[in-house]
Amino acid sequence: MEPPKTAAKRSATLAEIAREAGVSAPTVSKVLNGRADVAAATRTRVEELLRVHGYRRRRAEVTRSPLIDLVFHELESAWAMEVIRGVENVARDAGLSVVLSESAGRLTPGRTWADQVAGRRPHGVILVLSGLDAAQQALLTSRSVPFVVMDPAGDPGSDVPSVGATNWQGGLAATRHLIDLGHTRIGAIGGPSRMMCARARLDGYRAALETAGLPADPALIREGDFHHESGHRLGLDLLSRPDRPTAVFAGNDLQALGLYEAARELGLRVPEDVSVVGFDDLPVARWVGPPLTTVRQPLTEMAEAAARLVLELGRGERERERTATRLELATSLVVRSSTTAPAL
């Protein structure tokens, strides 16, 4: 005779969590509802117990504000506008508004931000080039606030939904284009090494060179910060070399535009003296002189996908999936006038 099957472990009740925390059930309820009149130490103790016991409010209990929180690592206008546009497209159709915030260059927002978001309980949170630490994840999960990371700076973890792009393939395509034109000395101005997308793009660059039998010369590789200023500064450094590269793959369009400026200051012409490839395909890439060859990263579509995903999570449409959803949208090379064969 088979032994009876063990019943699935049930979630702790609020009363049981209150008893374990040494507080009243109304205090636990206040923590869940984001009330300010709870001591910080008590809040931390209750939130940890809610996380340990995996407590989640029943969907019927959840009242959400008509908002989507959109958090940027850095709020750069040209790049960020494409993301904002995508989230706004989905939010508008759902009758929601978008709240913007910036983590001031930090890879995770501050604790105050997490408390504020948990208190207003939006329909979801989208973090761009940023992420959440374990305590912040537990806090939002306990308040039934879904979150998605777009273009994560690092590994978001197996349980965090994310949306990204094929950065490695983009770096490969950009560099292969230059190789096919006949360039053999190809420089690179990458993004911050702490960012996964920047490392992937540079790895694609190296893979293209190695596949073509060309050495990846460390003297021609620079680490930038994805800003125009670093493209200008590092571009001056690269293009002032006596053995300067005949082509440069910039880690993003802003750095490519900084490289344009450096070339002009040194009396070099794009593309006759140096070919340039960017990454992102921002609207300005079509209008600069000469128009920029770049890798199109579908920023607006990525943002739309992230917004749809966070709303689906809020409706419980993906609760049964064992692992977090990871979406990766394709990049594509857009050839314009900033690249040509090297001068003889």
Side-chain angles (χ1 to χ4, degrees):
M1 182 177 179
E2 292 186 3
K5 293 181 179 180
T6 304
K9 183 181 178 180
R10 65 177 180 82
S11 298
T13 66
L14 287 186
E16 290 168 337
I17 290 172
R19 187 160 51 250
E20 190 171 343
V23 299
S24 66
T27 297
V28 176
S29 181
K30 287 180 181 180
V31 172
L32 279 168
N33 287 293
R35 292 272 297 275
D37 52 339
V38 179
T42 300
R43 181 186 301 278
T44 300
R45 185 165 69 253
V46 171
E47 285 173 350
E48 176 62 18
L49 287 170
L50 289 168
R51 184 189 67 79
V52 168
H53 288 289
Y55 183 86
R56 296 193 184 192
R57 291 167 62 95
R58 294 187 299 274
R59 193 170 298 119
E61 295 177 308
V62 178
T63 301
R64 294 190 173 96
S65 301
L67 305 170
I68 293 177
D69 268 74
L70 178 56
V71 186
F72 285 92
H73 166 258
E74 290 179 335
L75 197 53
E76 289 291 336
S77 58
W79 192 91
M81 280 305 300
E82 299 301 299
V83 176
I84 294 170
R85 182 176 292 112
V87 175
E88 283 277 9
N89 289 343
V90 175
R92 187 186 313 113
D93 290 343
L96 304 175
S97 299
V98 178
V99 176
L100 295 179
S101 56
E102 182 190 48
S103 59
R106 297 189 301 267
L107 293 184
T108 57
R111 173 68 191 203
T112 302
W113 168 87
D115 285 334
Q116 291 171 347
V117 171
R120 63 177 169 259
R121 196 173 288 114
H123 273 65
V125 175
I126 300 171
L127 301 110
V128 184
L129 281 175
S130 189
L132 299 171
D133 61 30
Q136 291 168 338
Q137 289 185 34
L139 174 60
L140 295 187
T141 298
S142 71
R143 309 286 175 81
S144 297
V145 178
F147 49 87
V148 171
V149 178
M150 177 182 156
D151 212 3
D155 182 2
S158 60
D159 57 345
V160 177
S162 63
V163 176
T166 54
N167 289 291
W168 183 89
Q169 185 62 43
L172 183 82
T175 312
R176 276 185 175 169
H177 169 65
L178 295 170
I179 293 170
D180 290 343
L181 289 172
H183 294 276
T184 56
R185 285 188 60 74
I186 302 172
I189 301 176
S193 58
R194 63 178 180 163
M195 292 188 177
M196 194 162 57
C197 62
R199 294 197 303 271
R201 293 171 196 178
L202 203 55
D203 285 345
Y205 155 85
R206 291 192 178 98
L209 291 175
E210 292 169 5
T211 301
L214 299 172
D217 186 350
L220 299 183
I221 300 173
R222 300 290 186 276
E223 180 179 330
D225 59 10
F226 281 158
H227 292 90
H228 175 280
E229 292 76 13
S230 71
H232 174 246
R233 173 175 49 82
L234 298 173
L236 286 173
D237 182 31
L238 274 177
L239 299 181
S240 296
R241 296 176 58 89
D243 57 347
R244 64 176 174 80
T246 61
V248 178
F249 167 48
N252 70 343
D253 288 353
L254 294 178
Q255 290 185 154
L257 297 181
L259 184 63
Y260 270 37
E261 185 180 351
R264 283 194 299 271
E265 289 182 12
L266 294 172
L268 300 175
R269 298 165 300 165
V270 177
E272 291 85 358
D273 299 312
V274 58
S275 288
V276 179
V277 181
F279 201 111
D280 283 333
D281 195 24
L282 298 175
V284 68
R286 299 190 293 274
W287 308 117
V288 294
L292 178 66
T293 294
T294 187
V295 176
R296 181 176 186 271
Q297 180 175 211
L299 291 170
T300 300
E301 293 90 337
M302 290 164 62
E304 289 174 343
R308 285 192 294 267
L309 177 56
V310 83
L311 294 181
E312 289 172 6
L313 291 167
R315 292 191 294 264
E317 295 176 12
R318 293 177 178 263
E319 283 184 349
R320 295 185 180 181
E321 296 184 9
R322 293 186 177 182
T323 57
T325 300
R326 292 201 179 194
L327 303 178
E328 199 169 71
L329 277 65
T331 54
S332 57
L333 182 68
V334 181
V335 179
R336 297 195 180 99
S337 305
S338 66
T339 52
T340 191
L344 295 177

